[in-house]
Amino acid sequence: MRFEGKCVVVTGASSGMGRVIALDFAKEGATVIAVARRKERLDELALQSADFAGKILPYPGDVSSEEVCNGMIDFAVEQCGALDILVNNAGIMDEFTPIGEMSNELYERVMAVNLNGPIYAMRKAVQVMLAKETMGNIVNVASIGGVRGCRAGAAYTASKHAIVGVTKNTAYMYAGKIRCNVICPGGVETEVMNSQTNISQLGMGRVMAGLATAIPAGKPEDISAAVLYAASDDAKFLTGAEIVVDGGVSCN
C-alpha cells in the first residue's frame, strides 16, 4: 500500500473525480479528510470505506471560504498529527460563457471555488508541511482548459490557467521540501456537466464546432490514477509538472 500512515486532504470529494480519489487513497491505507458541501454524501463515503485499509473522515464545507480551507488543514493535523498530501480537486464550470457575456457574479463565483479555494488551502498546507521532516505533496486538478484554453468559458479558462501557474511557482519556491504538480484532465464523465443550467449558446456552439474529432470522455478512475501516482513516492522526482490526462484530445 503506497499511502499507509499518510494523511490526505481531498476537496470536492462528494462526487465525480474527488469521490474516486478519496476512496482510492483510503484503499491504499491513507487517512483521508474528505471535503465538500454535501455532508450526507461525505457520510456515505465514510461508510463505504469502513472495510478499507485506511479511512475517510468527512469535513463538510465550501472551499471558497478561507475559514473552511484553514479549518480542513487544522482538522487533518488534529486527526493525524501532520498533513502529508493535499489534493485540490473541487471545481465548478461557467456555462461555457465567453467574456462578452460574462457577469461579475459568474466570474467571482468561478474564481472563488476554482482559484481562491486552492490558494487558501495551499497557503495553509505549505506552512504545515514545512514543519515536517518528510517531503510535502500538493496535487492540483486543473483542466486541459488550463493548457489549451479554447473549449471552455472565459472564467473557467482563466481559473485553470492560474492554477497551472500557481502550481509551477509553488514547486519552484519550495523545491526539495514540497512537491507540487497539476493534473489536467480532458472530458470526464462526472456530474459537473449536468449542474449547468444556463449554458451560453455562443459558447456551447463554439465548443461543439471543435468536437468533430472528439475522443470519448474518460472515467473518474483515470484521473484518480494520475493523482495517486503524482502523490506517491513513485513520482519522487516529479514536481512542477502538467500531467495531461485527456485520451489524446489535446493532440487534435
Side-chain angles (χ1 to χ4, degrees):
M1 292 183 292
R2 290 178 293 178
F3 301 101
E4 185 174 7
K6 298 292 186 181
C7 186
V8 185
V9 169
V10 179
T11 69
S14 63
S15 65
M17 296 184 298
R19 178 180 177 278
V20 175
I21 291 167
L23 289 170
D24 284 350
F25 270 116
K27 287 175 185 176
E28 293 210 35
T31 296
V32 181
I33 312 304
V35 184
R37 292 175 297 172
R38 293 176 286 188
K39 183 179 183 301
E40 68 283 359
R41 289 210 174 182
L42 296 179
D43 290 340
E44 292 171 4
L45 202 61
L47 287 174
Q48 190 173 349
S49 69
D51 295 327
F52 291 177
K55 60 184 177 180
I56 292 178
L57 303 177
Y59 190 89
D62 184 341
V63 296
S64 66
S65 162
E66 182 179 5
E67 182 180 2
V68 168
C69 290
N70 288 341
M72 69 189 187
I73 304 299
D74 287 337
F75 182 69
V77 174
E78 289 169 9
Q79 295 297 315
C80 306
L83 172 64
D84 299 293
I85 300 163
L86 168 65
V87 180
N88 284 310
N89 164 77
I92 60 174
M93 298 288 288
D94 66 352
E95 317 283 355
F96 300 98
T97 305
I99 199 163
E101 300 176 13
M102 185 177 68
S103 66
N104 287 348
E105 190 270 337
L106 174 63
Y107 174 76
E108 290 165 4
R109 184 171 73 248
V110 171
M111 298 302 277
V113 175
N114 291 7
L115 179 59
N116 295 356
I119 285 177
Y120 296 149
M122 291 170 70
R123 182 169 60 192
K124 179 74 172 181
V126 161
Q127 296 166 10
V128 171
M129 289 175 178
L130 290 176
K132 302 189 308 143
E133 293 184 4
T134 56
M135 181 79 73
N137 203 311
I138 298 172
V139 182
N140 294 319
V141 179
S143 165
I144 56 168
V147 179
R148 180 180 174 181
C150 300
R151 297 176 185 172
Y156 180 85
T157 298
S159 70
K160 296 304 185 179
H161 273 271
I163 284 297
V164 171
V166 170
T167 297
K168 291 178 176 293
N169 180 266
T170 302
Y172 179 77
M173 291 293 183
Y174 300 103
K177 298 178 181 178
I178 297 172
R179 293 197 297 110
C180 189
N181 295 289
V182 58
I183 310 300
C184 300
V188 180
E189 295 176 3
T190 69
E191 296 177 12
V192 70
M193 288 296 294
N194 297 331
S195 66
Q196 301 192 98
T197 58
N198 190 32
I199 292 174
S200 165
Q201 294 306 301
L202 171 60
M204 178 55 82
R206 293 298 297 153
V207 168
M208 295 305 294
L211 294 181
T213 58
I215 291 167
K219 304 288 187 183
E221 290 78 6
D222 299 321
I223 310 307
S224 179
V227 170
L228 267 69
Y229 168 71
S232 74
D233 289 342
D234 294 336
K236 63 184 179 182
F237 200 56
L238 187 74
T239 191
E242 303 166 14
I243 303 173
V244 175
V245 188
D246 68 351
V249 168
S250 55
C251 298
N252 293 331

